Amino acid sequence: LYTSTKTFANKTMAAYYGVGGGTSDADWKPVTLDGKKRAGVMTMPALLTSLAHVDEPSYVFRGKIVLKQMMCVALPVPPAGAAQMLPDFPPNPTQRVKSDTIRTVSTCAGCHNQIDPIGLSFEAYDEIGRVRTSLPGGGGINEKGEVVDVADDVNGPFAHPVELAERLAGSQTGERCLVTQL
């Protein structure tokens, strides 16, 4: 669930992944993906796409699903009027700048200090889950993240989402949550 690099790809998905695959859209073949960028459910295009806005990925949606659905962390409901509490962002902010700015608001910081360091690690995936090597506007990719205040077997920094997936796969927190979800 968390670490497999194997999937199936037809012609369109093989091109998307950058691997050999089926010769038509009706021809699905087993493929192995680059284990440095793809592993299990956390890096599946369908999941990443569902956790994005139309024009950009959502680090909040992506971080929240990992916490709630893969670690079973109970996050509180955002306060009423949370969208109106947002501070002003500088022009053309990156998602990391948005996160830093939001976390200066004390009523937002409690949850965003847990959600954002996980969600921001998905920076190398665009709004439809394609791997990208630079940000719109030319900024570099930073896949570093951190699990904060969850459990000793998952807490701490990680280099990229695949490393987080491996950590979850080997943790009691991940195992317990998987059983709970089933």
Side-chain angles (χ1 to χ4, degrees):
L1 181 68
Y2 292 122
T3 61
S4 177
T5 58
K6 306 224 183 277
T7 191
F8 290 85
N10 62 9
K11 182 178 178 181
T12 300
M13 288 308 297
Y16 175 96
Y17 285 127
V19 297
T23 56
S24 72
D25 282 340
D27 181 27
W28 291 83
K29 300 282 186 198
V31 296
T32 301
L33 305 176
D34 177 358
K36 293 178 184 168
K37 293 293 179 188
R38 300 276 183 197
V41 68
M42 284 186 4
T43 60
M44 287 180 68
L47 181 70
L48 293 169
T49 301
S50 72
L51 302 170
H53 303 290
V54 172
D55 59 345
E56 68 177 358
S58 172
Y59 66 91
V60 174
F61 295 163
R62 290 175 179 183
K64 188 175 167 185
I65 199 165
V66 172
L67 281 168
K68 289 182 77 173
Q69 302 299 319
M70 298 175 196
M71 295 184 203
C72 290
V73 172
L75 294 169
V77 175
Q84 287 73 36
M85 294 179 198
L86 291 176
D88 291 330
F89 296 121
N92 304 312
T94 64
Q95 291 196 348
R96 287 186 185 272
V97 168
K98 287 181 183 179
S99 170
D100 290 343
T101 306
I102 289 168
R103 290 192 278 169
T104 65
V105 178
S106 60
T107 54
C108 302
C111 291
H112 282 273
N113 284 338
Q114 278 191 299
I115 295 168
D116 297 6
I118 294 171
L120 288 166
S121 73
F122 289 88
E123 199 169 82
Y125 304 96
D126 72 7
E127 60 276 3
I128 62 168
R130 287 179 300 214
V131 173
R132 60 186 180 179
T133 56
S134 64
L135 296 174
I141 297 293
N142 179 353
E143 294 182 275
K144 293 178 182 173
E146 185 173 9
V147 178
V148 178
D149 295 332
V150 175
D152 287 344
D153 64 346
V154 291
N155 283 346
F158 56 91
H160 44 75
V162 172
E163 183 180 315
L164 175 59
E166 291 166 354
R167 184 180 302 168
L168 277 173
S171 72
Q172 288 185 348
T173 299
E175 289 175 9
R176 282 189 207 117
C177 190
L178 176 62
V179 171
T180 299
Q181 297 300 350
L182 289 174

